[in-house]
Amino acid sequence: MRTRFKATGLMAGAGAIYVAAVVTMSVVHAQQNSKPMVQPTSLKSLAVPEPPNLADFVADKQAAIALGKALFWDQQASSDNTMACASCHFHAGADNRVKNQINPGQSGGSNAFDPIASGNKGAANYTLTAADFPFHRLSDPNDRDSVVMYDSDDVIGSSGVYNSDYKKNVGIVEQQTFYPDGVFQVGGIETRRVTGRNAPTVINAAMNFRNFWDGRANFVFNGVTPFGPRDKDARIWVDDWYTDNNGLRVERAVKAAARIPYAALASQAVGPALSAFEMSGANRAFSDLGHKMLGARPLINQQVATTDSVLGPYRHPFGYGLNTTYEALIKKAFQPEFWQVPDAIFKASSGTAYRQIEANYSLFWGLSIQLYESTLVSDDSRFDRYAAGDTAQLTAQEQAGLAIFTSDRGKCVECHKGAEFTGASVRMVLGSQSDGFAGDGPIENMLMGDQASSAIYDNGFYNIGVTPTKQDVGAGGGDPWGNPLSFSREFKNTLKGLFGPDSYTHSLDPCTWQLVTGCTVVRSPDARDAIDGSFKTPTLRNIELTGPYFHNGGYATLEQVVDFYNRGGNVRRTANGDTTGYGSTTSNLGSDLLPIGLSATEKAALVAFLKSLTDDRVRYEKAPFDHPSLKVPNGHKGDNVSVQSTDGVKAIDEFLAVPAVGAAGLTTPIKPFQQ
């Protein structure tokens, strides 16, 4: 028997590990001497991180990008053929819908919609107005301790699918059973469910070390789920052919564990596809999705521009969909050992038999969408040109805003660092061999906002007091196997003698990364951590276009966001500490969340600077930000009091029509959320 496994990428059985990343990290460790302030610079100077073992899986990168773009925009990927990945990321990579976008704070246990600040009744199928924002209002917007005029634990998320159970595929049609879930309904009629967090932009997300607001999309892609090495059962199917006694080659598929580092985007991509809120009927598997999509013509009901920068050569002569199949694209894009076994390799309880190419659909989905999203890098804003030396690109007002942004007074750059404008990037965490930049490591130490003591925290993740921590613990949550999502808590567990599932690709010990005289981190399993209520620092690039803002979507304008920071967040004193506290910890507030005291002129300057981070290619959807057409579910016929239905179960959809755009882009720009 002759094994076909490539040792750098995967191995058979449960003992599979990927070790090259450890070697890479050791180089970064040696470069670490100090941690100076990382000033914002042009993004053009940075390479997009890429898995070092990508070639073990991908045979043709350009074909994989085309596959990823088609999958990202294809509405057929959802159980009801209406929701694509792009349905929540179609506007500057984010979601600007205003109807049926409220989640009643379910991350904190609430299932009740709050009254809206404007005086309207908040409920499913409500249409948001400017008067509904912000979700936390004070008698004095500059004083976080002033009288609270309005507050809500509701969240502006993204409308997804109806509540349903997946049954089985009949050809390319999925059988589902629909029923109201008791929350997302109007008058007993089911409406589309809404996610519990705001949808961040996918543009520049390729720079992130982890993805999702809580970081659960792992740095290492396991080929199946978002959780990387934490998911010990995640396996892909690999052709392990052998020669029989007659000298004939026999194909067979065996399970193997994949470990693909620098692939948090792939880990993220496989999450929504099976989410019963976002794209799927409950209990659908990726093999079911693969079985369906391999039988469908890509983007069959969606227009593709003749000049689409990626899909143009694949455009069907009729203008709708592509002239190829997903099977053909997969076979062109990926190494044959992941799809070439011709016979069915397992049968589901429904009776459906699945081929290797269907069983590995999560692998193809995740990596191809990562490679497509890795092309969505906005590095040509006016700020990028200014940072490259053309000082005429920023006005005097914008330069004044930049000075506030980078000053010890504003401290914005403490979290929104470097060219990425986020401390949660791969470069800020692990460093970069290409330019010799030394990262700070997965865990850092800081004096807390209550000034009582220091605490360890996950680099790039902070509790800034947007909402009380009890409403959403963010990175303080756990994975399905009981492990903490937080690196800091993993590290504390290792000090108790427990295994840290993320430790094999990089050191979790903060002192490893702080090669300065005398590491000040308390290496104790009882050390204070600042994890509960912390969320990934988002990039500020194109922030003008990606509202509403923060993980709860509770702010509609940049002016409201600047007011938030100017007053030092929304944190309130309590009898035992403040509202960022959780459990026995009295405060998790980041140390830089202090009142700034900006004048009206200074606030306007800061907002002006933030708008200079918009890349006009994003504003006009020019290549690489061009795309196929999309029909986006936008609430239902009726309002939040009464809806129309044809079957007495589901409300009738309304849709936004997003036209196909070619490489040259739009003639009129897309608009900010408040418009």
Side-chain angles (χ1 to χ4, degrees):
M1 185 176 70
R2 211 170 357 152
T3 182
R4 305 295 294 168
F5 297 134
K6 297 177 179 177
T8 54
L10 51 89
M11 297 174 63
I17 59 172
Y18 184 82
V19 296
V22 176
V23 179
T24 301
M25 302 317 153
S26 66
V27 177
V28 178
H29 293 169
Q31 296 169 345
Q32 178 73 28
N33 293 311
S34 62
K35 296 190 293 183
M37 181 81 72
V38 185
Q39 297 294 334
T41 57
S42 171
L43 193 56
K44 285 185 182 295
S45 62
L46 301 187
V48 177
E50 188 171 279
N53 58 339
L54 183 66
D56 290 350
F57 301 90
V58 174
D60 185 329
K61 186 175 176 181
Q62 292 306 310
I65 290 171
L67 171 63
K69 185 170 185 178
L71 291 175
F72 185 87
W73 287 90
D74 200 332
Q75 297 167 186
Q76 298 176 99
S78 70
S79 288
D80 62 3
N81 296 317
T82 61
M83 292 293 297
C85 299
S87 299
C88 299
H89 300 282
F90 64 93
H91 185 89
D95 188 352
N96 76 334
R97 289 177 288 175
V98 297
K99 191 172 185 180
N100 195 46
Q101 290 284 89
I102 304 178
N103 176 290
Q106 290 181 318
S107 293
S110 171
N111 273 326
F113 290 94
D114 292 334
I116 297 297
S118 58
N120 297 312
K121 177 186 178 184
N125 208 39
Y126 177 76
T127 300
L128 295 160
T129 69
D132 296 326
F133 295 91
F135 277 21
H136 181 80
R137 299 189 182 186
L138 299 163
S139 59
D140 181 357
N142 294 312
D143 182 359
R144 66 188 185 188
D145 292 318
S146 63
V147 175
V148 177
M149 308 300 291
Y150 174 78
D151 188 74
S152 174
D153 68 355
D154 288 359
V155 169
I156 304 305
S158 287
S159 179
V161 292
Y162 296 97
N163 189 37
S164 72
D165 285 334
Y166 167 81
K167 298 302 181 185
K168 63 178 180 179
N169 291 344
V170 180
I172 61 173
V173 177
E174 295 186 35
Q175 290 186 346
Q176 299 169 264
T177 300
F178 296 91
Y179 48 90
D181 68 358
V183 176
F184 298 99
Q185 61 183 55
V186 176
I189 302 298
E190 183 180 2
T191 60
R192 290 183 179 270
R193 306 170 100 182
V194 178
T195 61
R197 292 178 184 143
N198 182 33
T201 181
V202 297
I203 297 175
N204 303 316
M207 300 295 183
N208 291 337
F209 180 64
R210 290 182 287 174
N211 276 300
F212 291 125
W213 282 106
D214 58 12
R216 69 186 184 277
N218 202 279
F219 170 69
V220 177
F221 182 44
N222 62 29
V224 184
T225 68
F227 296 101
R230 295 161 175 266
D231 188 346
K232 297 178 182 179
D233 296 325
R235 296 289 186 273
I236 59 173
W237 294 84
V238 186
D239 181 14
D240 187 34
W241 61 267
Y242 66 95
T243 302
D244 67 12
N245 293 332
N246 296 318
L248 298 176
R249 174 170 164 149
V250 178
E251 307 284 355
R252 67 173 181 181
V254 298
K255 286 186 176 182
R259 295 292 183 260
I260 309 172
Y262 294 85
L265 267 184
S267 296
Q268 186 277 327
V270 296
L274 302 185
S275 166
F277 271 70
E278 297 178 70
M279 295 178 66
S280 182
N283 301 313
R284 183 173 69 160
F286 251 107
S287 53
D288 300 318
L289 176 57
H291 186 78
K292 171 187 176 180
M293 297 295 278
L294 290 171
R297 183 157 65 84
L299 298 159
I300 189 170
N301 295 314
Q302 297 166 249
Q303 289 182 312
V304 178
T306 56
T307 59
D308 187 291
S309 60
V310 173
L311 299 178
Y314 297 93
R315 180 178 181 268
H316 193 277
F318 294 159
Y320 282 84
L322 306 186
N323 61 6
T324 186
T325 65
Y326 279 122
E327 182 151 348
L329 284 171
I330 290 170
K331 290 181 176 180
K332 184 177 181 182
F334 284 87
Q335 299 289 1
E337 56 258 48
F338 302 109
W339 51 259
Q340 67 186 357
V341 176
D343 300 325
I345 58 175
F346 75 93
K347 183 178 289 187
S349 58
S350 63
T352 304
Y354 297 99
R355 296 178 292 150
Q356 183 194 24
I357 196 171
E358 296 165 332
N360 279 340
Y361 206 71
S362 57
L363 175 71
F364 309 138
W365 176 280
L367 282 180
S368 65
I369 288 179
Q370 163 155 333
L371 290 173
Y372 163 59
E373 290 184 333
S374 292
T375 70
L376 304 180
V377 177
S378 63
D379 58 5
D380 196 30
S381 68
R382 288 190 295 111
F383 169 77
D384 288 292
R385 299 173 192 174
Y386 173 87
D390 185 356
T391 57
Q393 289 291 325
L394 295 190
T395 67
Q397 183 190 41
E398 291 164 344
Q399 291 184 44
L402 172 59
I404 295 169
F405 187 89
T406 58
S407 70
D408 288 338
R409 183 181 174 205
K411 295 187 177 181
C412 310
V413 74
E414 292 279 2
C415 301
H416 297 283
K417 304 176 182 179
E420 304 95 317
F421 282 87
T422 172
S425 70
V426 171
R427 190 172 68 114
M428 294 301 162
V429 176
L430 296 184
S432 171
Q433 284 186 283
S434 63
D435 60 10
F437 183 89
D440 289 335
I443 301 169
E444 290 196 278
N445 187 55
M446 68 176 170
L447 179 67
M448 295 306 299
D450 61 2
Q451 307 297 302
S453 64
S454 65
I456 57 174
Y457 67 97
D458 288 20
N459 192 358
F461 286 70
Y462 303 94
N463 186 328
I464 59 172
V466 175
T467 60
T469 296
K470 65 181 180 180
Q471 293 179 11
D472 192 340
V473 296
D479 65 23
W481 303 275
N483 302 300
L485 292 176
S486 160
F487 293 144
S488 300
R489 289 182 175 165
E490 270 193 278
F491 170 59
K492 289 167 64 173
N493 279 347
T494 65
L495 297 177
K496 298 176 183 178
L498 302 175
F499 176 64
D502 293 304
S503 61
Y504 82 100
T505 54
H506 50 267
S507 173
L508 293 176
D509 190 331
C511 292
T512 303
W513 301 85
Q514 297 174 10
L515 300 184
V516 293
T517 303
C519 179
T520 60
V521 175
V522 178
R523 301 182 78 261
S524 166
D526 299 319
R528 180 178 179 181
D529 63 56
I531 301 304
D532 290 316
S534 64
F535 295 92
K536 176 171 60 67
T537 302
T539 181
L540 298 182
R541 289 181 171 274
N542 308 300
I543 193 72
E544 174 188 9
L545 303 173
T546 58
Y549 304 109
F550 297 121
H551 70 274
N552 72 331
Y555 294 75
T557 69
L558 288 178
E559 287 77 9
Q560 292 171 0
V561 171
V562 169
D563 277 343
F564 167 87
Y565 283 108
N566 187 53
R567 64 177 174 260
N570 295 336
V571 61
R572 309 282 294 188
R573 298 186 184 94
T574 66
N576 297 317
D578 63 51
T579 50
T580 67
Y582 189 74
S584 60
T585 302
T586 58
S587 177
N588 288 287
L589 184 66
S591 59
D592 293 322
L593 263 294
L594 297 171
I596 304 172
L598 299 177
S599 67
T601 299
E602 289 171 322
K603 289 180 185 178
L606 186 52
V607 169
F609 165 67
L610 292 173
K611 291 181 179 180
S612 78
L613 300 177
T614 302
D615 188 324
D616 272 348
R617 294 175 304 161
V618 176
R619 193 190 307 276
Y620 287 90
E621 297 188 340
K622 296 180 181 180
F625 308 105
D626 55 334
H627 55 78
S629 68
L630 193 68
K631 282 179 62 179
V632 186
N634 187 41
H636 308 279
K637 289 186 179 297
D639 54 25
N640 55 311
V641 177
S642 175
V643 293
Q644 298 180 34
S645 174
T646 57
D647 60 6
V649 177
K650 304 190 305 297
I652 300 172
D653 282 315
E654 293 182 325
F655 292 94
L656 287 175
V658 178
V661 180
L666 301 166
T667 56
T668 57
I670 62 174
K671 297 179 179 180
F673 177 71
Q674 69 268 26
Q675 296 179 20

